[in-house]
């Protein structure tokens, strides 16, 4: 295939979304009860974060994910969702302005591109491409990417895939155990049931200690989702799989076009809010998108891929 800068923001045409969850009457009642509990905690309308909090609570996957994570123990589910609501109020993960974290994306160390055979968006992580000093902004960038992957999930899909490629990674560029612990905390506590698969490839022997160090902080569910050096071609359609992993997708990372495509496909405004219609999207797009005739690849981005996500309350 010809090399391309185009980012895949839709699953393959014949993708069947999985897993599909079916709930019995008792479980449905608990889902209603959990959502009502979360709504009872909502900020007042006068608060600027009110509509964003409601947007998250009202998403069709929010209550189900927390109840599944709580093994259908309603009180545990309430405790879990309350913790995330408090975290989101402070962190505001859905309102991180693109400009705040864009510098973290300049080498392609974290790239959202393509979908697995079950319709999960894929996040590629390449620690060897680390380009910045350790700071809270690195974690903000990771959270921004998690939010964007959720924006791109097709209807019915509630989880994503992460591929961690340790090719060219050294002890210097590898995240510290403390950073890994913080990452696990955010994933396991505030993005419950969002990790569908975690694939670790090209792990050198010298970094085995790293996974031994974080192993005590992995909950059993997360541990069961991890695979080391699997055959990724069994899990991802070849036309959606990066050629670096044996796929047919000859993607070539270019920082500006990548960033512009993800921001546009997810309808993220410069202030971190969402753009509600195509006209407004065009108005708020960076000048480089509107004025640069070489950016024709952006015309191929199907912004309808995320229409199923609630954009307003």
């Amino acid at each position: 295939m010809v090399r391309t800068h185009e980012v895949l923001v839709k699953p393959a045409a014949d993708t069947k979304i999985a897993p599909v969850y079916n709930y019995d009457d008792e479980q449905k009642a608990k889902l209603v009860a959990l959502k009502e509990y979360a709504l009872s905690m909502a900020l007042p309308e006068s608060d600027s974060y009110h509509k964003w909090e409601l947007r998250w609570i009202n998403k069709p996957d929010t209550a189900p994910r927390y109840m599944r994570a709580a093994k259908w123990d309603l009180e545990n589910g309430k405790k879990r969702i309350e913790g995330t609501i408090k975290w989101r109020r402070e962190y505001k993960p859905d309102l991180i302005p693109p400009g705040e974290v864009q510098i973290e994306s300049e080498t392609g160390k974290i790239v959202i591109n393509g979908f697995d055979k079950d319709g999960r968006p894929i996040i590629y992580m390449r620690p060897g491409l680390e380009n910045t000093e350790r700071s809270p902004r690195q974690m903000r960038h990771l959270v921004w990417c998690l939010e964007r992957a959720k924006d791109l999930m097709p209807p019915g899909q509630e989880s994503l895939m992460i591929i961690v490629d340790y090719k060219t990674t050294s002890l210097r560029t590898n995240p510290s155990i403390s950073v890994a612990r913080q990452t696990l905390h955010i994933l396991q506590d505030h993005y419950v049931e969002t990790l569908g698969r975690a694939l670790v490839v090209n792990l050198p022997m010298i970094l085995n200690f790293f996974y031994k160090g974080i192993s005590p902080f992995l909950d059993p569910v997360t541990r069961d989702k991890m695979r080391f050096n699997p055959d990724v071609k069994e899990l991802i359609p070849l036309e959606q799989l990066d050629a670096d992993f044996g796929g047919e997708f000859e993607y070539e990372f270019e920082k500006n076009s990548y960033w512009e495509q993800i921001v546009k496909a997810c309808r993220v405004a410069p202030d971190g809010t969402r753009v509600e219609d195509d006209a407004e999207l065009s108005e708020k797009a960076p000048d480089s998108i509107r004025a640069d005739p070489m950016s024709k690849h952006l015309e191929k981005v199907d912004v309808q891929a995320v229409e199923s996500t609630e954009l307003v309350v």
Side-chain angles (χ1 to χ4, degrees), residues 42-238:
L43 292 164
E45 291 186 26
S46 58
D47 192 290
S48 62
Y49 195 61
H50 168 78
K51 79 168 187 175
W52 300 102
E53 187 164 270
L54 286 189
R55 176 180 181 269
W56 180 77
I57 292 172
N58 285 321
K59 283 187 174 181
D61 70 313
T62 298
R65 287 190 296 105
Y66 279 79
M67 284 309 306
R68 293 199 305 270
K71 303 294 190 294
W72 297 95
D73 180 329
L74 182 56
E75 293 307 310
N76 183 256
K78 289 179 178 179
K79 181 179 179 181
R80 285 171 174 265
I81 205 167
E82 181 177 351
T84 295
I85 287 173
K86 291 178 178 178
W87 174 78
R88 293 182 74 91
R89 286 175 183 173
E90 179 180 354
Y91 207 87
K92 294 182 174 57
D94 40 1
L95 295 181
I96 297 174
E100 177 187 332
V101 296
Q102 184 173 359
I103 190 174
E104 300 290 344
S105 182
E106 292 190 346
T107 61
K109 63 187 178 187
I110 302 181
V111 170
I112 307 164
N113 205 345
F115 297 75
D116 73 3
K117 290 183 176 180
D118 295 324
R120 296 184 180 92
I122 302 169
I123 299 180
Y124 292 94
M125 296 183 177
R126 296 177 170 92
L129 298 179
E130 183 57 73
N131 64 312
T132 60
E133 297 296 325
R134 289 172 185 166
S135 71
R137 187 182 61 204
Q138 291 181 334
M139 193 60 61
R140 297 276 287 176
H141 175 235
L142 173 61
V143 170
W144 191 88
C145 291
L146 291 173
E147 290 288 323
R148 300 294 74 78
K150 287 186 66 63
D151 286 343
L152 295 176
M153 288 178 184
Q157 184 52 263
E158 300 179 5
S159 63
L160 52 83
M161 171 186 280
I162 293 177
I163 299 178
V164 186
D165 180 12
Y166 277 97
K167 186 178 181 181
T168 74
T169 302
S170 65
L171 290 174
R172 182 185 65 82
T173 59
N174 192 59
S176 67
I177 289 178
S178 63
V179 170
R181 287 176 58 185
Q182 185 181 2
T183 301
L184 286 172
H185 166 66
I186 289 175
L187 272 172
Q188 294 177 164
D189 290 3
H190 304 311
Y191 289 89
V192 300
E193 291 286 303
T194 298
L195 180 63
R197 293 190 178 111
L199 313 182
V200 179
V201 299
N202 297 317
L203 181 67
M205 289 294 294
I206 196 172
L207 289 178
N208 279 340
F209 78 92
F210 174 72
Y211 279 90
K212 290 180 180 178
I214 67 172
S215 183
F217 306 100
L218 288 168
D219 67 37
V221 175
T222 301
R223 189 179 295 111
D224 287 346
K225 293 175 180 177
M226 296 185 68
R227 297 290 183 272
F228 291 86
N229 295 316
D231 184 353
V232 293
K233 290 182 287 188
E234 294 181 354
L235 303 172
I236 303 170
L238 293 181

